[in-house]
């Protein structure tokens, strides 16, 4: 009753009972020191029990070796062999086998202690505690890299949307990668990259601790960051990283970086789709300390050139706006809001810009999402809530198990009654497509431009124990009308082909009727 009251977790209770059983059956053994018991309180209770029985005798299956090293190695060897046997015998029960392994392992340890009782010396509990600490340290040094790989495998096993794992036997993948002894962290990271590559999903990838910090700040920070002022996309034709826009008055603009240039190297490190680089990967290389330098190798029209830029503090997003008259009616003023990407600050910035434009006399809004590759998925949903009426479906999301949920509006958005049109192109993707589809399917706005990119997948970031992380595709989404746009894209209501050298005003692409059809005043 005392144990039940102390340990509310059934698993913790099970481990404690096993531990007490081992101590009572073999009180002269310190095998308990090498067991992997997760509950700190369990170990504390065991230590108190051992101390109450006085000095213990240490039993090991050999003589003349470092006791802590032998203890750790012997236990790990038994556990490794046992795990291999159990996986072959019961490959289906990967999750529940952990408790069963502990039970069988405990039994084996008890039997092995009885079979090989070589008494070395009588030690007080304080020395045994030191021995236990050393045993754990030896095991940790030899398996820490493997644990990182194992953690990555478990996260992918649980969260990845495709439960066929691209046709791979995921249990066999575990045997290959998790049970390998890695010499250093670099080898462990390489193994995790190999595992993610097996999934055949270019959006699921591994991040080093530095890359995680950069990506996290890029999408979730509302504070300024140091960068060079370019927006990039993966060009589907050349499979290269293409600059789709240059921020005005930025370091990139000052050294002559142009829209349409390709980035082929950053600080002499080659980048590109053929090398597995994504725009996010390149962005992490371009960001750094304020005032630091970065070298770029650019390609345009078959010629390459090198430029050196000094990073500066830039806004987390560069939501911008302007007020222009409609080409069809000079009295009909249109507020153009450009949203190049989504992060936590996007919705508040758009609302602020829209309020200012309407104060200046804007009768309609034109949302420019061209080149917007997405970013922070919740920000796309949040902006949709401000543009749609109450009780309206924004997007439906389903995970790998088929469980789904609908994102809906709960009340009229702040801009739900404003006439609206949207510009998109072939680089409009992810969260930007969620917003576009929500507005189109609910007949809230006219969509003008090119067919969108077609990324109907949702990613999340899972951080590992050492600070590295996995970007994982965890779900697929469908539009309010049930369309799966992944690899298909969204067809605009009015198709317009944009040209890189086109200097036309945004509003010139949009007929006045596209706004008037969405007037709710």
């Amino acid at each position: 009753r005392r144990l039940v009251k102390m340990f509310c977790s059934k698993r913790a209770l099970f481990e404690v009972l096993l531990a007490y059983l081992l101590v009572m059956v073999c009180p002269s053994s310190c095998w308990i020191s090498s067991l992997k018991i997760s509950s700190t309180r369990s170990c504390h209770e065991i230590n108190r029990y051992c101390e109450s029985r006085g000095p213990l005798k240490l039993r090991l299956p050999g003589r003349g070796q470092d006791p802590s090293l032998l203890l750790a190695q012997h236990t790990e060897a038994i556990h490794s062999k046992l795990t291999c046997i159990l996986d072959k015998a019961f490959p289906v029960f990967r999750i529940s086998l952990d408790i069963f392994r502990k039970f069988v392992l405990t039994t084996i340890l008890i039997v092995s202690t009885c079979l090989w009782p070589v008494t070395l010396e009588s030690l007080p509990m304080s020395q045994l505690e030191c021995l236990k600490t050393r045993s754990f340290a030896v095991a940790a040094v030899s398996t820490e890299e493997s644990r990182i790989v194992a953690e990555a495998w478990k996260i992918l096993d649980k969260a990845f949307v495709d439960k066929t794992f691209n046709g791979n036997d995921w249990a066999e993948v575990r045997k290959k990668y998790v049970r390998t002894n890695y010499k250093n962290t670099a080898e462990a990271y390489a193994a995790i990259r190999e595992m993610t590559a097996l999934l055949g999903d270019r959006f699921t990838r591994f991040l080093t601790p530095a890359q995680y910090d950069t990506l996290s700040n890029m999408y979730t920070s509302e504070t300024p960051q140091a960068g060079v002022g370019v927006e990039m996309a993966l060009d589907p034709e050349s499979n290269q990283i293409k600059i789709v826009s240059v921020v005005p008055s930025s370091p990139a603009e000052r050294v002559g970086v142009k829209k349409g240039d390709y980035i082929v190297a950053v600080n002499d490190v080659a980048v590109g789709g053929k090398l597995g680089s994504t725009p996010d990967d390149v962005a992490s290389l371009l960001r750094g300390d304020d005032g630091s330098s970065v070298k770029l190798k650019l390609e345009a029209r078959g010629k390459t050139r090198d430029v050196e830029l000094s990073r500066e503090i830039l806004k987390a997003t560069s939501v911008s706006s302007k007020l222009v008259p409609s080409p069809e009616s000079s009295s009909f003023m249109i507020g153009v809001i450009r949203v190049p990407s989504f992060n936590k600050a996007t919705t508040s910035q758009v609302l602020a810009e829209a309020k200012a434009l309407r104060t200046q006399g804007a009768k309609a809004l034109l949302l420019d999402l061209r080149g917007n590759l997405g970013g922070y998925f919740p920000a796309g949903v949040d902006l949709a809530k401000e543009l749609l009426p109450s009780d309206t479906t924004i997007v439906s999301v389903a995970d790998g198990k088929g469980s789904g949920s609908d994102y809906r509006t709960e009340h009229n958005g702040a801009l739900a009654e404003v006439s609206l049109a949207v510009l998109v192109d072939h680089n409009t993707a992810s969260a930007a497509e969620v917003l576009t589809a929500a507005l189109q399917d609910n007949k809230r706005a006219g969509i003008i431009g090119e067919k969108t990119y077609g990324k109907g997948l949702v990613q999340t970031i899972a951080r590992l124990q050492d600070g590295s992380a996995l970007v994982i595709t965890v779900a697929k989404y469908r539009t309010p009308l049930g369309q799966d746009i992944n690899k298909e894209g969204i067809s605009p209501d009015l198709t317009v082909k944009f040209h890189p050298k086109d200097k036309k005003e945004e509003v010139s692409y949009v007929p006045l009727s596209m706004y008037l059809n969405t007037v709710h005043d």
Side-chain angles (χ1 to χ4, degrees), residues 417-443:
E417 300 298 324
V418 179
S419 299
L420 182 67
V422 181
L423 283 180
V424 297
D425 66 4
H426 63 278
N427 281 320
T428 303
S430 194
E433 287 179 296
V434 170
L435 175 59
T436 300
L439 297 175
Q440 185 183 55
D441 282 8
N442 289 295
K443 301 186 183 302

Side-chain angles (χ1 to χ4, degrees), residues 52-98:
S52 68
R53 298 182 69 89
L56 303 180
K57 292 184 177 181
L58 177 66
R59 295 177 181 271
L60 290 170
R63 187 190 298 273
Q65 301 185 43
D66 181 359
S68 62
L69 178 61
L70 188 59
L71 188 63
Q73 289 178 341
H74 184 67
T75 304
E76 288 296 323
I78 292 176
H79 185 269
S80 177
K81 292 179 181 178
L82 173 66
T83 300
C84 182
I85 293 172
L86 293 178
D87 273 351
K88 290 181 178 179
F90 307 101
V92 179
F93 305 103
R94 291 198 303 268
I95 299 177
S96 60
L97 272 178
D98 285 341

Side-chain angles (χ1 to χ4, degrees), residues 26-232:
C26 302
S28 59
S29 169
C30 76
W31 278 113
I32 190 65
S33 66
S34 64
L35 284 178
K36 299 177 180 177
I37 296 188
S38 60
S39 173
T40 303
R41 299 181 67 181
S42 303
C43 293
H44 178 67
E45 289 297 311
I46 293 167
N47 288 340
R48 288 180 54 190
Y49 180 85
C50 292
E51 289 174 345
S52 68
R53 298 182 69 89
L56 303 180
K57 292 184 177 181
L58 177 66
R59 295 177 181 271
L60 290 170
R63 187 190 298 273
Q65 301 185 43
D66 181 359
S68 62
L69 178 61
L70 188 59
L71 188 63
Q73 289 178 341
H74 184 67
T75 304
E76 288 296 323
I78 292 176
H79 185 269
S80 177
K81 292 179 181 178
L82 173 66
T83 300
C84 182
I85 293 172
L86 293 178
D87 273 351
K88 290 181 178 179
F90 307 101
V92 179
F93 305 103
R94 291 198 303 268
I95 299 177
S96 60
L97 272 178
D98 285 341
I99 296 178
F100 183 53
R101 285 196 191 103
K102 289 183 179 180
F103 175 78
V104 179
L105 177 60
T106 303
T107 305
I108 292 177
L109 292 176
I110 294 173
V111 174
S112 64
T113 305
C114 296
L115 291 178
W116 302 305
V118 182
T119 302
L120 298 182
E121 58 180 323
S122 179
L123 297 174
M125 192 61 209
S126 59
Q127 293 186 36
L128 285 180
E129 184 65 30
C130 294
L131 180 60
K132 180 176 71 175
T133 303
R134 291 182 63 190
S135 299
F136 277 129
V138 172
V141 170
S142 62
T143 63
E144 183 174 354
E145 287 78 14
S146 297
R147 288 175 184 169
I148 296 173
V149 178
E151 184 182 11
W153 180 92
K154 288 181 180 179
I155 291 173
L156 292 170
D157 179 54
K158 181 179 180 180
F160 187 61
V161 65
D162 178 11
K163 293 309 177 185
T164 68
F165 300 100
N166 196 33
N168 291 284
D169 186 333
W170 205 237
E172 289 297 324
V173 172
R174 179 184 184 276
K175 293 177 183 179
K176 178 180 178 180
Y177 290 99
V178 174
R179 296 176 189 170
T180 300
N181 289 324
Y182 300 99
K183 297 179 181 179
N184 49 51
T185 303
E187 287 189 1
Y189 286 175
I192 296 174
R193 291 189 180 97
E194 289 180 15
M195 282 198 300
T196 58
L198 292 174
L199 299 174
D201 174 28
R202 65 190 183 92
F203 300 111
T204 297
R205 61 192 188 279
F206 173 76
L207 303 176
T208 65
Q211 289 173 327
Y212 167 79
D213 291 339
T214 299
L215 189 62
S216 178
N217 290 334
M218 188 189 309
Y219 292 135
T220 63
S221 175
E222 298 183 26
T223 59
Q225 301 175 48
V228 299
V230 296
E231 297 167 19
M232 299 163 290

Side-chain angles (χ1 to χ4, degrees), residues 342-344 346-347 376-384 431:
F342 286 100
N343 69 17
K344 278 190 173 181
T346 299
T347 300
Y376 190 52
F377 177 81
V381 175
D382 289 343
L383 183 54

